């Protein structure tokens, strides 16, 4: 498979973990890194994810794209087409502009970088509160806004209220690295080379065309791991109904001969949902557990595969 590390073990059975090496994210062109700072991002999990990448596969689908660490990684070793999705239209717009107009995006980011301050951040945040809305701005301006707010907002969060308005406070970082121009250009080249198709919306619709031999990775909002967070009373935008719908989608894809990999919290409900339809691997991952980035601990997560 094109772009995989040259020292990858060969002659592995296609239905078993391949134990690929854990190189830094690269593709056949250069080293790549996510251009966003993403809460719950998968860079730490790449060595584990690498073990479960099929030796060969058709189209790659990622219905919860976020920062895209796995998409860009050598561990995935993307060799063909990819279809990626997220429910956040501003996120997907940023990805599209990186792919199609990276130089214009870099130029706009440089302008925004020079204006970095709490006042400017609040001005950008206010775009979705104005009468005109964010849609009154160009796609390049919206993409630069998203990246700028991601890199200068508190903890790299992107959070909106019920009105769809971003409500993350300014991060007050001394010298944030807002963008890496070379990396954006390299990511753009990668996205074009692999004809990456972007979608916005429901995760189940995003994988409707996945068929035998394709590979799907689900990285949904995790079930809370707090001992006080009962899953039956879990009530976020991605709650019980969505987790059950995801399980059903996982099973439907498996029945069509699609290789499916899913990550989530290591909690009893996940084991109940997937016990009969997937192989559950338990892992430990270092995660921040508080607003203080230094407050990190190992937490239990699972990788569930359809084979």
């Amino acid at each position: 498979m094109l772009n995989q590390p040259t020292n990858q073990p060969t002659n592995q059975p296609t239905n078993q973990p391949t134990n690929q090496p854990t190189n830094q994210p690269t593709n056949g062109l250069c080293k790549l890194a996510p251009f966003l700072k993403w809460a719950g991002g998968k860079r730490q999990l790449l060595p584990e994810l690498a073990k479960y990448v099929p030796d060969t596969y058709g189209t790659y689908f990622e219905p919860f794209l976020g920062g895209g660490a796995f998409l860009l990684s050598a561990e995935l070793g993307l060799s063909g087409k990819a279809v990626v999705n997220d429910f956040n239209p501003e996120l997907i717009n940023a990805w599209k502009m990186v792919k199609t107009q990276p130089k214009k995006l870099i130029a706009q980011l440089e302008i925004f970088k020079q204006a970095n301050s709490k006042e400017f951040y609040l001005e950008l945040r206010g775009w979705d509160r104005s009468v005109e809305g964010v849609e009154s701005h160009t796609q390049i301006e919206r993409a630069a806004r998203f990246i700028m707010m991601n890199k200068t907002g508190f903890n790299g969060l992107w959070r909106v209220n019920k009105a769809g308005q971003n409500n993350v406070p300014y991060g007050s970082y001394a010298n944030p690295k807002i963008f890496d121009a070379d990396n954006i250009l390299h990511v753009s080249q990668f996205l074009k080379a692999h004809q990456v198709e972007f979608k916005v919306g429901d995760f189940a619709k995003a994988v409707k065309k996945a068929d035998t031999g394709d590979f799907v990775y689900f990285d949904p909002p995790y079930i809370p791991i707090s001992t006080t967070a009962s899953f039956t009373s879990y009530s976020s935008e991605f709650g019980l109904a969505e987790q059950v719908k995801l399980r059903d989608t996982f099973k439907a894809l498996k029945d069509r001969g699609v290789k499916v990999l899913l990550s989530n919290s290591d909690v009893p409900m996940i084991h109940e949902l997937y016990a009969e339809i997937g192989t559950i691997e338990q892992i430990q991952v270092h995660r921040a557990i508080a607003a203080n980035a230094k407050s990190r601990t190992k937490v239990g997560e699972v990788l569930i595969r359809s084979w």
Side-chain angles (χ1 to χ4, degrees):
M1 183 163 59
L2 181 65
N3 297 335
Q4 284 198 348
T6 56
N7 60 338
Q8 178 181 348
T10 57
N11 301 319
Q12 296 275 0
T14 57
N15 63 341
Q16 294 293 328
T18 57
N19 296 315
Q20 298 176 24
T22 58
N23 299 3
Q24 290 298 313
T26 64
N27 65 8
L29 303 170
C30 56
K31 286 189 175 182
L32 297 178
F35 59 89
L36 295 168
K37 179 171 63 172
W38 207 250
K42 289 297 169 285
R43 295 190 77 175
Q44 289 188 60
L45 199 57
L46 290 177
E48 291 296 329
L49 290 172
K51 298 175 184 178
Y52 306 106
V53 175
D55 288 339
T56 59
Y57 55 89
T59 300
Y60 172 68
F61 291 82
E62 188 168 345
F64 299 94
L65 179 58
F70 193 34
L71 172 69
L72 300 175
S73 71
E75 282 80 359
L76 175 62
L78 186 66
S79 62
K81 184 180 177 182
V83 178
V84 297
N85 173 83
D86 202 276
F87 59 84
N88 185 336
E90 294 306 301
L91 168 66
I92 293 299
N93 177 67
W95 276 94
K96 285 182 176 179
M97 293 304 100
V98 167
K99 177 183 177 182
T100 61
Q101 300 188 64
K103 292 183 180 179
K104 288 184 178 180
L105 176 59
I106 290 167
Q108 188 65 58
L109 281 167
E110 184 59 41
I111 294 171
F112 282 1
K113 177 183 176 181
Q114 297 304 318
N116 182 33
S117 65
K118 181 177 181 179
E119 291 71 27
F120 183 65
Y121 176 87
L122 294 177
E123 179 184 334
L124 290 178
R125 197 179 72 172
W127 285 12
D128 57 21
R129 290 166 169 76
S130 66
V131 175
E132 298 83 5
V134 293
E135 293 80 8
S136 65
H137 298 271
T138 68
Q139 288 181 296
I140 288 293
E141 289 171 338
R142 287 165 57 188
R145 169 185 180 259
F146 188 90
I147 295 171
M148 182 75 180
M149 291 181 65
N150 171 259
K151 294 298 183 71
T152 59
F154 179 74
N155 259 14
L157 297 174
W158 186 271
R159 182 185 63 208
V160 296
N161 59 24
K162 291 182 179 179
Q165 301 165 339
N166 185 291
N167 58 9
V168 177
Y170 184 59
S172 299
Y173 302 115
N175 188 28
K177 186 170 184 179
I178 294 166
F179 69 99
D180 179 330
D182 287 339
N183 186 61
I184 287 176
L185 292 171
H186 291 151
V187 170
S188 177
Q189 190 178 4
F190 173 85
L191 297 174
K192 291 174 183 174
H194 294 289
Q195 303 173 34
V196 177
E197 178 184 348
F198 295 98
K199 293 180 176 292
V200 178
D202 180 71
F203 65 86
K205 291 181 180 178
V207 296
K208 260 193 169 183
K209 294 184 179 180
D211 209 342
T212 303
D214 290 337
F215 178 39
V216 175
Y217 172 52
F218 287 116
D219 181 30
Y222 279 18
I223 295 174
I225 59 174
S226 168
T227 55
T228 60
S230 168
F231 188 74
T232 55
S233 63
Y234 170 42
S235 58
S236 69
E237 291 183 3
F238 203 90
L240 173 58
E242 288 75 17
Q243 294 286 356
V244 172
K245 178 181 176 181
L246 178 57
R247 186 273 314 275
D248 293 344
T249 303
F250 183 106
K251 185 178 186 304
L253 289 168
K254 176 183 178 179
D255 292 344
R256 296 208 300 265
V258 178
K259 294 290 182 69
V260 189
L261 183 66
L262 179 146
S263 53
N264 212 313
S265 306
D266 189 1
V267 294
M269 182 56 71
I270 281 292
H271 290 264
E272 292 176 27
L273 285 171
Y274 291 92
E276 302 300 322
I277 62 170
T279 302
I280 302 175
E281 309 285 353
Q282 294 173 291
I283 58 176
Q284 294 287 312
V285 181
H286 282 281
R287 295 285 184 198
I289 59 171
N292 183 352
K294 294 181 180 179
S295 183
R296 305 181 70 85
T297 188
K298 281 190 175 182
V299 297
E301 297 189 11
V302 294
L303 288 174
I304 307 167
R305 52 190 171 93
S306 61
W307 65 97

